[in-house]
Short mmCIF file of all heavy atoms in Angstrom, two decimals:
data_model
loop_
_atom_site.label_atom_id
_atom_site.label_comp_id
_atom_site.label_asym_id
_atom_site.label_seq_id
_atom_site.Cartn_x
_atom_site.Cartn_y
_atom_site.Cartn_z
N LYS K 1 0.81 -1.20 0.01
CA LYS K 1 0.00 0.00 0.01
C LYS K 1 0.85 1.26 -0.02
O LYS K 1 1.82 1.37 0.75
CB LYS K 1 -0.94 0.00 1.19
CG LYS K 1 -2.03 1.05 1.10
CD LYS K 1 -3.20 0.75 2.01
CE LYS K 1 -4.36 1.68 1.73
NZ LYS K 1 -5.56 1.30 2.50
N GLY K 2 0.51 2.19 -0.87
CA GLY K 2 1.28 3.40 -1.04
C GLY K 2 2.35 3.30 -2.09
O GLY K 2 2.88 4.33 -2.51
N ARG K 3 2.68 2.11 -2.52
CA ARG K 3 3.68 1.89 -3.56
C ARG K 3 3.09 1.34 -4.85
O ARG K 3 3.59 1.67 -5.92
CB ARG K 3 4.78 0.94 -3.05
CG ARG K 3 5.50 1.44 -1.82
CD ARG K 3 6.67 0.54 -1.46
NE ARG K 3 6.24 -0.83 -1.14
CZ ARG K 3 6.61 -1.91 -1.78
NH1 ARG K 3 7.46 -1.81 -2.81
NH2 ARG K 3 6.19 -3.11 -1.40
N PHE K 4 2.08 0.48 -4.75
CA PHE K 4 1.47 -0.15 -5.91
C PHE K 4 0.08 0.45 -6.15
O PHE K 4 -0.61 0.82 -5.23
CB PHE K 4 1.31 -1.65 -5.67
CG PHE K 4 2.57 -2.45 -5.63
CD1 PHE K 4 3.81 -1.86 -5.55
CD2 PHE K 4 2.51 -3.84 -5.65
CE1 PHE K 4 4.99 -2.60 -5.52
CE2 PHE K 4 3.67 -4.59 -5.61
CZ PHE K 4 4.91 -3.99 -5.54
N THR K 5 -0.32 0.46 -7.43
CA THR K 5 -1.63 0.92 -7.80
C THR K 5 -2.25 -0.06 -8.81
O THR K 5 -1.66 -0.33 -9.87
CB THR K 5 -1.61 2.33 -8.43
OG1 THR K 5 -1.03 3.25 -7.50
CG2 THR K 5 -3.02 2.79 -8.76
N ILE K 6 -3.43 -0.58 -8.50
CA ILE K 6 -4.15 -1.44 -9.42
C ILE K 6 -5.18 -0.59 -10.16
O ILE K 6 -5.80 0.30 -9.57
CB ILE K 6 -4.81 -2.63 -8.69
CG1 ILE K 6 -5.40 -3.64 -9.68
CG2 ILE K 6 -5.87 -2.14 -7.69
CD1 ILE K 6 -5.88 -4.93 -9.04
N SER K 7 -5.36 -0.87 -11.44
CA SER K 7 -6.35 -0.17 -12.23
C SER K 7 -6.88 -1.10 -13.31
O SER K 7 -6.33 -2.17 -13.53
CB SER K 7 -5.76 1.11 -12.85
OG SER K 7 -4.67 0.78 -13.72
N ARG K 8 -7.94 -0.65 -13.99
CA ARG K 8 -8.50 -1.48 -15.05
C ARG K 8 -8.98 -0.61 -16.19
O ARG K 8 -9.38 0.54 -15.98
CB ARG K 8 -9.64 -2.36 -14.51
CG ARG K 8 -10.88 -1.58 -14.06
CD ARG K 8 -11.82 -2.50 -13.27
NE ARG K 8 -12.29 -3.59 -14.07
CZ ARG K 8 -12.75 -4.75 -13.58
NH1 ARG K 8 -12.75 -4.97 -12.26
NH2 ARG K 8 -13.18 -5.70 -14.39
N ASP K 9 -8.94 -1.18 -17.39
CA ASP K 9 -9.46 -0.55 -18.60
C ASP K 9 -10.45 -1.53 -19.19
O ASP K 9 -10.05 -2.51 -19.85
CB ASP K 9 -8.35 -0.20 -19.56
CG ASP K 9 -8.84 0.57 -20.77
OD1 ASP K 9 -10.04 0.52 -21.08
OD2 ASP K 9 -8.02 1.26 -21.41
N ASN K 10 -11.74 -1.32 -18.93
CA ASN K 10 -12.75 -2.27 -19.39
C ASN K 10 -12.85 -2.36 -20.91
O ASN K 10 -13.20 -3.38 -21.44
CB ASN K 10 -14.10 -1.91 -18.76
CG ASN K 10 -14.18 -2.20 -17.31
OD1 ASN K 10 -13.39 -2.96 -16.75
ND2 ASN K 10 -15.14 -1.57 -16.61
N ALA K 11 -12.56 -1.26 -21.59
CA ALA K 11 -12.60 -1.24 -23.05
C ALA K 11 -11.54 -2.15 -23.62
O ALA K 11 -11.69 -2.66 -24.74
CB ALA K 11 -12.44 0.17 -23.59
N LYS K 12 -10.46 -2.36 -22.89
CA LYS K 12 -9.36 -3.21 -23.35
C LYS K 12 -9.34 -4.57 -22.63
O LYS K 12 -8.44 -5.36 -22.91
CB LYS K 12 -8.02 -2.51 -23.14
CG LYS K 12 -7.85 -1.25 -23.94
CD LYS K 12 -6.50 -0.63 -23.72
CE LYS K 12 -6.31 0.63 -24.57
NZ LYS K 12 -5.00 1.25 -24.33
N ASN K 13 -10.28 -4.80 -21.75
CA ASN K 13 -10.30 -6.05 -20.96
C ASN K 13 -8.95 -6.32 -20.31
O ASN K 13 -8.41 -7.42 -20.32
CB ASN K 13 -10.70 -7.25 -21.83
CG ASN K 13 -12.19 -7.34 -22.07
OD1 ASN K 13 -12.95 -6.39 -21.84
ND2 ASN K 13 -12.64 -8.49 -22.53
N THR K 14 -8.40 -5.27 -19.71
CA THR K 14 -7.06 -5.35 -19.14
C THR K 14 -7.02 -4.76 -17.74
O THR K 14 -7.65 -3.72 -17.49
CB THR K 14 -6.05 -4.62 -20.04
OG1 THR K 14 -6.06 -5.22 -21.34
CG2 THR K 14 -4.65 -4.70 -19.47
N VAL K 15 -6.32 -5.43 -16.85
CA VAL K 15 -6.04 -4.91 -15.53
C VAL K 15 -4.55 -4.66 -15.38
O VAL K 15 -3.73 -5.43 -15.92
CB VAL K 15 -6.58 -5.85 -14.43
CG1 VAL K 15 -5.92 -7.22 -14.51
CG2 VAL K 15 -6.41 -5.24 -13.04
N TYR K 16 -4.18 -3.60 -14.71
CA TYR K 16 -2.79 -3.19 -14.60
C TYR K 16 -2.36 -3.17 -13.13
O TYR K 16 -3.17 -3.02 -12.22
CB TYR K 16 -2.58 -1.78 -15.15
CG TYR K 16 -3.04 -1.63 -16.58
CD1 TYR K 16 -4.29 -1.12 -16.90
CD2 TYR K 16 -2.18 -1.96 -17.63
CE1 TYR K 16 -4.69 -0.96 -18.21
CE2 TYR K 16 -2.56 -1.80 -18.94
CZ TYR K 16 -3.83 -1.33 -19.23
OH TYR K 16 -4.23 -1.17 -20.54
N LEU K 17 -1.07 -3.28 -12.93
CA LEU K 17 -0.47 -3.08 -11.63
C LEU K 17 0.77 -2.23 -11.80
O LEU K 17 1.77 -2.68 -12.33
CB LEU K 17 -0.10 -4.42 -10.96
CG LEU K 17 0.42 -4.30 -9.54
CD1 LEU K 17 -0.71 -3.88 -8.59
CD2 LEU K 17 1.02 -5.63 -9.07
N GLN K 18 0.66 -0.97 -11.37
CA GLN K 18 1.81 -0.06 -11.37
C GLN K 18 2.56 -0.25 -10.06
O GLN K 18 1.99 -0.08 -8.99
CB GLN K 18 1.36 1.39 -11.52
CG GLN K 18 2.49 2.38 -11.48
CD GLN K 18 3.41 2.29 -12.67
OE1 GLN K 18 2.94 2.19 -13.79
NE2 GLN K 18 4.72 2.27 -12.42
N MET K 19 3.83 -0.61 -10.16
CA MET K 19 4.65 -0.90 -9.00
C MET K 19 5.80 0.11 -8.91
O MET K 19 6.62 0.18 -9.84
CB MET K 19 5.21 -2.32 -9.05
CG MET K 19 4.16 -3.39 -9.24
SD MET K 19 4.81 -5.06 -9.16
CE MET K 19 5.88 -5.03 -10.59
N ASN K 20 5.80 0.91 -7.87
CA ASN K 20 6.83 1.91 -7.64
C ASN K 20 7.59 1.61 -6.38
O ASN K 20 7.12 0.83 -5.52
CB ASN K 20 6.20 3.31 -7.55
CG ASN K 20 5.50 3.74 -8.80
OD1 ASN K 20 5.89 3.39 -9.89
ND2 ASN K 20 4.41 4.50 -8.63
N SER K 21 8.75 2.21 -6.23
CA SER K 21 9.56 2.04 -5.02
C SER K 21 9.78 0.58 -4.70
O SER K 21 9.60 0.12 -3.55
CB SER K 21 8.94 2.77 -3.83
OG SER K 21 8.81 4.14 -4.12
N LEU K 22 10.13 -0.20 -5.69
CA LEU K 22 10.23 -1.64 -5.53
C LEU K 22 11.33 -2.01 -4.55
O LEU K 22 12.39 -1.38 -4.47
CB LEU K 22 10.46 -2.30 -6.87
CG LEU K 22 9.19 -2.42 -7.74
CD1 LEU K 22 9.54 -2.64 -9.18
CD2 LEU K 22 8.29 -3.55 -7.21
N LYS K 23 11.08 -3.08 -3.79
CA LYS K 23 11.99 -3.61 -2.80
C LYS K 23 12.36 -5.03 -3.16
O LYS K 23 11.60 -5.72 -3.84
CB LYS K 23 11.32 -3.60 -1.42
CG LYS K 23 10.81 -2.24 -0.96
CD LYS K 23 10.07 -2.38 0.35
CE LYS K 23 9.55 -1.03 0.82
NZ LYS K 23 8.81 -1.16 2.11
N PRO K 24 13.51 -5.51 -2.68
CA PRO K 24 13.88 -6.90 -2.97
C PRO K 24 12.81 -7.90 -2.53
O PRO K 24 12.63 -8.93 -3.22
CB PRO K 24 15.16 -7.09 -2.15
CG PRO K 24 15.77 -5.73 -2.12
CD PRO K 24 14.60 -4.79 -2.00
N GLU K 25 12.08 -7.61 -1.47
CA GLU K 25 11.05 -8.55 -1.02
C GLU K 25 9.83 -8.57 -1.93
O GLU K 25 8.93 -9.39 -1.72
CB GLU K 25 10.62 -8.22 0.43
CG GLU K 25 10.28 -6.75 0.66
CD GLU K 25 11.43 -5.99 1.26
OE1 GLU K 25 12.59 -6.10 0.77
OE2 GLU K 25 11.20 -5.24 2.22
N ASP K 26 9.75 -7.69 -2.91
CA ASP K 26 8.72 -7.76 -3.93
C ASP K 26 9.02 -8.81 -5.00
O ASP K 26 8.17 -9.08 -5.86
CB ASP K 26 8.53 -6.40 -4.60
CG ASP K 26 8.02 -5.34 -3.65
OD1 ASP K 26 7.12 -5.63 -2.83
OD2 ASP K 26 8.51 -4.19 -3.74
N THR K 27 10.21 -9.37 -4.99
CA THR K 27 10.59 -10.37 -5.97
C THR K 27 9.66 -11.57 -5.87
O THR K 27 9.51 -12.17 -4.81
CB THR K 27 12.03 -10.81 -5.75
OG1 THR K 27 12.91 -9.71 -5.98
CG2 THR K 27 12.41 -11.96 -6.71
N ALA K 28 9.01 -11.93 -6.99
CA ALA K 28 8.05 -13.03 -7.03
C ALA K 28 7.56 -13.19 -8.45
O ALA K 28 7.80 -12.33 -9.30
CB ALA K 28 6.86 -12.70 -6.11
N VAL K 29 6.83 -14.27 -8.67
CA VAL K 29 6.03 -14.40 -9.88
C VAL K 29 4.68 -13.77 -9.61
O VAL K 29 4.02 -14.14 -8.61
CB VAL K 29 5.87 -15.87 -10.32
CG1 VAL K 29 4.99 -15.97 -11.55
CG2 VAL K 29 7.23 -16.50 -10.59
N TYR K 30 4.26 -12.87 -10.46
CA TYR K 30 3.01 -12.17 -10.30
C TYR K 30 1.93 -12.75 -11.22
O TYR K 30 2.16 -12.92 -12.40
CB TYR K 30 3.19 -10.68 -10.55
CG TYR K 30 3.87 -9.94 -9.43
CD1 TYR K 30 5.20 -10.19 -9.15
CD2 TYR K 30 3.17 -9.06 -8.63
CE1 TYR K 30 5.84 -9.55 -8.08
CE2 TYR K 30 3.79 -8.41 -7.56
CZ TYR K 30 5.13 -8.66 -7.29
OH TYR K 30 5.75 -8.02 -6.24
N TYR K 31 0.76 -12.98 -10.67
CA TYR K 31 -0.34 -13.58 -11.40
C TYR K 31 -1.58 -12.65 -11.31
O TYR K 31 -1.80 -12.01 -10.28
CB TYR K 31 -0.76 -14.92 -10.79
CG TYR K 31 0.32 -15.96 -10.73
CD1 TYR K 31 1.14 -16.06 -9.64
CD2 TYR K 31 0.48 -16.87 -11.75
CE1 TYR K 31 2.15 -17.02 -9.56
CE2 TYR K 31 1.48 -17.84 -11.70
CZ TYR K 31 2.32 -17.90 -10.60
OH TYR K 31 3.28 -18.88 -10.52
N CYS K 32 -2.38 -12.64 -12.35
CA CYS K 32 -3.69 -12.04 -12.26
C CYS K 32 -4.75 -13.14 -12.31
O CYS K 32 -4.50 -14.24 -12.80
CB CYS K 32 -3.96 -11.00 -13.37
SG CYS K 32 -4.06 -11.68 -15.04
N ASN K 33 -5.92 -12.84 -11.75
CA ASN K 33 -7.00 -13.77 -11.75
C ASN K 33 -8.28 -13.03 -11.34
O ASN K 33 -8.22 -11.85 -11.01
CB ASN K 33 -6.76 -14.94 -10.81
CG ASN K 33 -7.43 -16.22 -11.24
OD1 ASN K 33 -8.61 -16.25 -11.61
ND2 ASN K 33 -6.69 -17.34 -11.21
N LEU K 34 -9.37 -13.71 -11.36
CA LEU K 34 -10.58 -13.18 -10.72
C LEU K 34 -10.30 -13.00 -9.25
O LEU K 34 -9.47 -13.73 -8.68
CB LEU K 34 -11.74 -14.14 -10.90
CG LEU K 34 -12.01 -14.73 -12.29
CD1 LEU K 34 -13.26 -15.60 -12.26
CD2 LEU K 34 -12.14 -13.65 -13.32
N ASP K 35 -10.94 -12.04 -8.63
CA ASP K 35 -10.81 -11.82 -7.20
C ASP K 35 -11.16 -13.12 -6.48
O ASP K 35 -12.28 -13.60 -6.54
CB ASP K 35 -11.75 -10.70 -6.76
CG ASP K 35 -11.73 -10.41 -5.29
OD1 ASP K 35 -11.07 -11.13 -4.51
OD2 ASP K 35 -12.37 -9.42 -4.89
N GLN K 36 -10.15 -13.71 -5.79
CA GLN K 36 -10.34 -15.03 -5.21
C GLN K 36 -11.26 -15.03 -3.98
O GLN K 36 -11.77 -16.09 -3.61
CB GLN K 36 -8.94 -15.63 -4.86
CG GLN K 36 -8.09 -15.88 -6.05
CD GLN K 36 -8.71 -16.89 -7.01
OE1 GLN K 36 -8.72 -18.09 -6.74
NE2 GLN K 36 -9.23 -16.40 -8.13
N ASN K 37 -11.47 -13.85 -3.41
CA ASN K 37 -12.43 -13.78 -2.30
C ASN K 37 -13.88 -13.94 -2.82
O ASN K 37 -14.75 -14.36 -2.05
CB ASN K 37 -12.29 -12.48 -1.54
CG ASN K 37 -11.04 -12.45 -0.67
OD1 ASN K 37 -10.60 -13.48 -0.18
ND2 ASN K 37 -10.51 -11.24 -0.47
N ARG K 38 -14.08 -13.59 -4.05
CA ARG K 38 -15.42 -13.66 -4.64
C ARG K 38 -15.60 -14.89 -5.53
O ARG K 38 -16.71 -15.45 -5.57
CB ARG K 38 -15.69 -12.40 -5.47
CG ARG K 38 -15.69 -11.10 -4.69
CD ARG K 38 -15.76 -9.92 -5.65
NE ARG K 38 -15.68 -8.63 -4.97
CZ ARG K 38 -16.71 -7.87 -4.70
NH1 ARG K 38 -17.94 -8.25 -5.06
NH2 ARG K 38 -16.54 -6.71 -4.09
N TYR K 39 -14.57 -15.29 -6.27
CA TYR K 39 -14.69 -16.30 -7.28
C TYR K 39 -13.62 -17.37 -7.14
O TYR K 39 -13.01 -17.83 -8.12
CB TYR K 39 -14.59 -15.68 -8.70
CG TYR K 39 -15.35 -14.40 -8.86
CD1 TYR K 39 -14.66 -13.18 -9.01
CD2 TYR K 39 -16.74 -14.38 -8.87
CE1 TYR K 39 -15.39 -11.98 -9.18
CE2 TYR K 39 -17.44 -13.20 -9.04
CZ TYR K 39 -16.74 -12.00 -9.20
OH TYR K 39 -17.44 -10.84 -9.38
N ARG K 40 -13.37 -17.82 -5.96
CA ARG K 40 -12.26 -18.75 -5.66
C ARG K 40 -12.37 -20.01 -6.47
O ARG K 40 -13.40 -20.68 -6.49
CB ARG K 40 -12.26 -19.07 -4.17
CG ARG K 40 -11.15 -19.99 -3.74
CD ARG K 40 -11.07 -20.10 -2.23
NE ARG K 40 -12.33 -20.45 -1.64
CZ ARG K 40 -13.14 -19.63 -0.96
NH1 ARG K 40 -12.76 -18.37 -0.78
NH2 ARG K 40 -14.28 -20.04 -0.44
N GLY K 41 -11.29 -20.34 -7.19
CA GLY K 41 -11.17 -21.60 -7.88
C GLY K 41 -11.85 -21.73 -9.21
O GLY K 41 -11.80 -22.79 -9.82
N ARG K 42 -12.46 -20.68 -9.71
CA ARG K 42 -13.22 -20.79 -10.97
C ARG K 42 -12.32 -20.80 -12.19
O ARG K 42 -12.66 -21.44 -13.19
CB ARG K 42 -14.22 -19.62 -11.08
CG ARG K 42 -15.31 -19.70 -10.05
CD ARG K 42 -16.41 -18.69 -10.40
NE ARG K 42 -17.44 -18.58 -9.39
CZ ARG K 42 -18.53 -17.85 -9.51
NH1 ARG K 42 -18.75 -17.15 -10.59
NH2 ARG K 42 -19.40 -17.82 -8.51
N ILE K 43 -11.22 -20.08 -12.13
CA ILE K 43 -10.32 -19.96 -13.29
C ILE K 43 -8.93 -20.46 -12.91
O ILE K 43 -8.40 -20.11 -11.83
CB ILE K 43 -10.22 -18.48 -13.78
CG1 ILE K 43 -11.62 -17.94 -14.05
CG2 ILE K 43 -9.32 -18.40 -14.99
CD1 ILE K 43 -12.34 -18.67 -15.16
N ASN K 44 -8.34 -21.27 -13.78
CA ASN K 44 -6.99 -21.78 -13.51
C ASN K 44 -5.95 -20.64 -13.52
O ASN K 44 -6.10 -19.66 -14.22
CB ASN K 44 -6.57 -22.81 -14.58
CG ASN K 44 -7.40 -24.07 -14.47
OD1 ASN K 44 -7.93 -24.41 -13.42
ND2 ASN K 44 -7.48 -24.81 -15.57
N TRP K 45 -4.91 -20.84 -12.72
CA TRP K 45 -3.82 -19.90 -12.69
C TRP K 45 -2.97 -20.04 -13.94
O TRP K 45 -2.71 -21.13 -14.41
CB TRP K 45 -2.95 -20.12 -11.46
CG TRP K 45 -3.68 -19.89 -10.18
CD1 TRP K 45 -4.36 -20.78 -9.43
CD2 TRP K 45 -3.86 -18.63 -9.53
NE1 TRP K 45 -4.96 -20.19 -8.34
CE2 TRP K 45 -4.65 -18.87 -8.38
CE3 TRP K 45 -3.46 -17.31 -9.80
CZ2 TRP K 45 -5.04 -17.82 -7.52
CZ3 TRP K 45 -3.83 -16.29 -8.93
CH2 TRP K 45 -4.62 -16.56 -7.80
N GLY K 46 -2.53 -18.91 -14.46
CA GLY K 46 -1.69 -18.90 -15.67
C GLY K 46 -0.21 -19.02 -15.31
O GLY K 46 0.17 -19.45 -14.22
N GLN K 47 0.64 -18.61 -16.25
CA GLN K 47 2.07 -18.69 -16.04
C GLN K 47 2.63 -17.58 -15.20
O GLN K 47 3.70 -17.73 -14.61
CB GLN K 47 2.80 -18.73 -17.40
CG GLN K 47 2.59 -20.01 -18.19
CD GLN K 47 3.44 -20.04 -19.44
OE1 GLN K 47 3.52 -19.05 -20.18
NE2 GLN K 47 4.08 -21.18 -19.67
#
């Protein structure tokens, strides 16, 4: 919080994640999916 910003462009069917002030602990594989609190398990995880 305060470093990353999530946004969406419905016309492009695209969701974005702007990541600023990156730290070594941010190192990871990042995935998008349906909100898992609402739609858990409905869509397989991608690469």
Side-chain angles (χ1 to χ4, degrees):
K1 193 161 189 173
R3 300 187 297 120
F4 291 11
T5 302
I6 188 171
S7 62
R8 67 192 297 156
D9 186 337
N10 289 340
K12 296 181 179 179
N13 281 15
T14 300
V15 60
Y16 304 96
L17 186 69
Q18 178 67 47
M19 306 186 295
N20 299 326
S21 301
L22 283 161
K23 304 175 180 179
E25 50 262 47
D26 296 318
T27 296
V29 178
Y30 284 70
Y31 303 89
C32 68
N33 210 314
L34 313 183
D35 179 353
Q36 295 299 285
N37 286 330
R38 298 171 183 259
Y39 318 110
R40 182 171 52 254
R42 293 191 187 185
I43 305 298
N44 291 336
W45 297 93
Q47 290 187 314

